[in-house]
Amino acid sequence: MRYYKRTKEETADFERKFISSDTEAAIAKKTLESGGFFALSVKAPWAWLIVNGFKDVENRKWKTKFRGRLIIQAAGNLERRDYADAYTFAASIDSKIADALPPFADCQKLERLALGSVEVSDVFERPVAGVITSPWHTEGFYGMKLVKPRIYNPAPTVRGQLGIFQLPEELNPIFQALENPPKKGKSKR
């Protein structure tokens, strides 16, 4: 499958649209309603923690007006230092969370996969010392509040990008099927 690679100018224009104003946030909502899908690349251990419902805030230096379903893609090039940081941070919150984290080698196998999705329900301002909204919210960063995690099985391969990015249209049917699986129950005969 071929992927369209955006130029730096196209990426900057897209990020301006979804970060800068209420009018542009309405454009983002309209795009979502039309069936488009958006994603965010996150290092593999953090991505796993998000889609498995442990991590409820994603920290970024930038603020976004994006709200809605967001696909979480495990970024490539995981290093042991990144894994150790995630493990140590998770252990500082709850040792059971750190123990649930897959081993480093298994996290490497998750790279470049769309592990699942979450809903971005809010964005917290940069917290000041002593006023933290979640144990996952890091002081000095904006925090995207993540709710309703969903794990994809199987997890499709997706090429990551910086910031929140729109997936190529040809991937829409795959993600529509993952986001709207057939309901379990009695089958019609």
Side-chain angles (χ1 to χ4, degrees):
M1 180 175 289
R2 298 187 77 196
Y3 293 98
Y4 172 72
K5 184 171 175 153
R6 284 193 188 104
T7 65
K8 287 182 181 179
E9 294 80 21
E10 289 171 320
T11 300
D13 181 55
F14 178 83
E15 289 177 355
R16 258 192 317 278
K17 285 181 181 175
F18 295 101
I19 295 173
S20 63
S21 75
D22 290 332
T23 303
E24 287 149 348
I27 294 169
K29 184 177 179 189
K30 184 176 181 183
T31 304
L32 280 171
E33 290 169 352
S34 71
F37 289 93
F38 293 86
L40 180 67
S41 292
V42 181
K43 290 283 186 180
W46 300 108
W48 186 91
L49 288 165
I50 289 169
V51 300
N52 282 278
F54 293 110
K55 189 171 188 268
D56 65 349
V57 171
E58 175 59 16
N59 298 291
R60 296 290 159 159
K61 292 181 179 177
W62 41 267
K63 187 175 182 179
T64 181
K65 292 195 177 281
F66 181 90
R67 303 294 183 275
R69 211 75 203 156
L70 185 64
I71 293 165
I72 302 298
Q73 186 255 9
N77 302 320
L78 178 64
E79 297 179 11
R80 286 194 182 277
R81 160 182 86 234
D82 300 323
Y83 180 84
D85 289 346
Y87 185 91
T88 302
F89 197 94
S92 74
I93 293 170
D94 186 337
S95 63
K96 291 177 185 174
I97 296 172
D99 292 342
L101 196 62
F104 174 74
D106 291 346
C107 279
Q108 285 184 306
K109 293 174 187 173
L110 300 175
E111 291 179 347
R112 296 175 186 82
L113 296 178
L115 300 182
S117 67
V118 291
E119 187 174 313
V120 178
S121 64
D122 199 2
V123 176
F124 302 125
E125 295 294 326
R126 297 172 186 231
V128 293
V131 183
I132 305 294
T133 54
S134 161
W136 297 99
H137 194 185
T138 304
E139 188 175 323
F141 288 84
Y142 293 101
M144 287 185 263
K145 177 66 176 165
L146 309 174
V147 297
K148 301 178 185 174
R150 184 176 293 151
I151 299 171
Y152 293 157
N153 190 11
T157 302
V158 173
R159 184 179 179 153
Q161 295 180 32
L162 295 176
I164 294 173
F165 59 96
Q166 189 168 11
L167 293 173
E169 278 186 41
E170 63 266 17
L171 297 179
N172 284 353
I174 294 168
F175 288 101
Q176 284 170 346
L178 289 167
E179 286 293 321
N180 302 299
K183 294 193 185 304
K184 294 181 181 178
K186 295 180 182 181
S187 61
K188 295 181 181 178
R189 292 185 187 206

